[in-house]
Amino acid sequence: MESNAAPFSDTLVERLANARRVGVLTGAGVSAESGISTFRDAGGLWSKFKPGELANVEAFLNNPDLVQRWYQERRQISGAAQPNPGHYALAALEKEIPEFVLVTQNVDGLHARAGSQTIIELHGNIERNYCIDCLKSVAALDEIKEGQPAVCENCGGFVRPDVVWFGERLPATLLETAMGFATRADVFLSVGTSSVVYPAAELPLIARDYGAYVAEINREKTEIGHMLNETVLGSSGIVLPQLLEAVISLRKS
Ligand code: BJW
Ligand code: ZN
């Protein structure tokens, strides 16, 4: 029988327990156990569309109400969802580390709801909307009917979610802060992301180049896994609480 040994190395636990600066990058996998579909795993709610088909400005301009309804549905799902043990473990780990930055690609706001303090939302947040013409921010949208896109009260322009689509620049200051921290981190964790979307996927590689101990936590090894120190296979909602507990008990011993 398999032993119930931890899925991560002693080195990772020791490095975390002694780290001054820890950076974490999260992706959709971290919210999967809260019932939020990932982008690229099979069987998602919108799996008939590839992420690139809806998450770009051309798709929005060609079919604004379809894209608005996609976001409206996701907003309802994430609003009703609760953070899971993975989100809570990251919020608790932050309290153990002198300098901790959580960089997320997720737009669902669950890290903040779990109590994480220093969060960089690289791809925006679906709770916010703005007008593509006058850029005015727009509060919560009503139900969007087919063929009737939501428009700005001020100027009639289409309303879009405040997220980063393919081909759009990430918020420059946020990206610079995240990259800067990656260069200084002692340990960097990449959790629940397929690591195929750039520039976010560069962060663990930058951290590695600058000498951090870098581990990914995922249900499967990703494309960049071979360039990191360690791949921890498992669900983030299980692995992250185990890792937190291991760090705390090593500190006590
Ligand atoms: C679990 C689990 C569990 C499941 N536990 N794990 C360099 C090379 C090639 C291409 C490019 C490049 N640089 C830029 C590009 C182009 C492009 C890009 O990266 N393309 C590639 C896909 C080829 N990047 C961009 O366009 C970016 N912009 C840019 O670079 O601008 C430059 C510019 C310069 C000058 C002028 C103008 C522009 C923007 C990227 C924006 C991405 N946007 C989206 C949508 C956000 C809004 C929304 O949510 O709708 O972001 S796309 C989508 O992918 C979303 C996600 O944040 C992102 C990443 O997905 P993520 O989180 O990794 O999810 P999945 O589903 O892919 O993976 C889940 C993982 O979890 C899996 O591995 C599972 O195994 C795992 N898992 N359950 C642990 N319980
Ligand atoms: Zn407007």
Side-chain angles (χ1 to χ4, degrees):
M1 207 177 101
E2 279 290 306
S3 72
N4 56 0
F8 38 77
S9 71
D10 291 345
T11 310
L12 176 59
V13 178
E14 283 155 19
R15 294 288 184 114
L16 275 171
N18 295 310
R20 166 152 196 90
R21 298 191 187 94
V22 173
V24 179
L25 171 70
T26 65
V30 168
S31 292
E33 289 155 89
S34 294
I36 298 176
S37 298
T38 63
F39 291 90
R40 294 170 186 81
D41 294 318
L45 190 57
W46 287 79
S47 56
K48 54 183 187 285
F49 297 103
K50 294 198 177 81
E53 282 172 351
L54 292 181
N56 71 76
V57 78
E58 290 76 27
F60 175 69
L61 293 175
N62 288 334
N63 216 336
D65 58 302
L66 173 71
V67 175
Q68 287 172 344
R69 279 186 295 123
W70 184 44
Y71 282 95
Q72 193 72 327
E73 197 165 329
R74 289 175 52 199
R75 209 170 274 134
Q76 277 153 8
I77 292 167
S78 57
Q82 295 302 325
N84 68 59
H87 295 107
Y88 287 115
L90 288 173
L93 184 62
E94 179 169 12
K95 296 200 168 77
E96 299 293 323
I97 309 287
E99 289 179 50
F100 186 96
V101 175
L102 175 57
V103 184
T104 188
Q105 299 169 85
N106 299 345
V107 297
D108 57 32
L110 286 178
H111 285 300
R113 284 170 52 200
S116 283
Q117 300 289 317
T118 306
I119 308 172
I120 295 180
E121 288 181 322
L122 271 190
H123 292 165
N125 189 306
I126 50 168
E127 287 304 318
R128 300 188 300 261
N129 295 285
Y130 66 92
C131 166
I132 60 167
D133 290 337
C134 72
L135 307 182
K136 192 171 176 277
S137 64
V138 176
L141 304 182
D142 295 333
E143 193 198 334
I144 295 144
K145 301 210 174 69
E146 208 169 334
Q148 295 177 30
V151 292
C152 170
E153 284 182 356
N154 196 34
C155 76
F158 292 136
V159 174
R160 64 164 286 176
D162 190 358
V163 298
V164 181
W165 283 329
F166 285 115
E168 295 184 321
R169 265 181 225 275
L170 277 66
T173 318
L174 297 187
L175 183 60
E176 275 162 28
T177 307
M179 287 189 161
F181 196 78
T183 67
R184 298 190 302 277
D186 303 312
V187 179
F188 196 95
L189 304 176
S190 177
V191 192
T193 175
S194 55
S195 305
V196 297
V197 174
Y198 285 81
E202 249 172 86
L203 291 167
L205 302 176
I206 293 173
R208 183 80 198 88
D209 280 352
Y210 280 81
Y213 189 87
V214 184
E216 64 174 4
I217 299 171
N218 199 302
R219 285 186 177 164
E220 58 194 29
K221 192 168 183 146
T222 75
E223 293 192 357
I224 64 163
H226 65 285
M227 289 183 266
L228 311 180
N229 296 94
E230 178 167 349
T231 294
V232 182
L233 291 176
S235 298
S236 50
I238 294 173
V239 172
L240 287 169
Q242 286 178 335
L243 190 56
L244 172 72
E245 198 190 306
V247 169
I248 291 173
S249 61
L250 180 66
R251 288 255 184 87
K252 281 187 188 146
S253 69

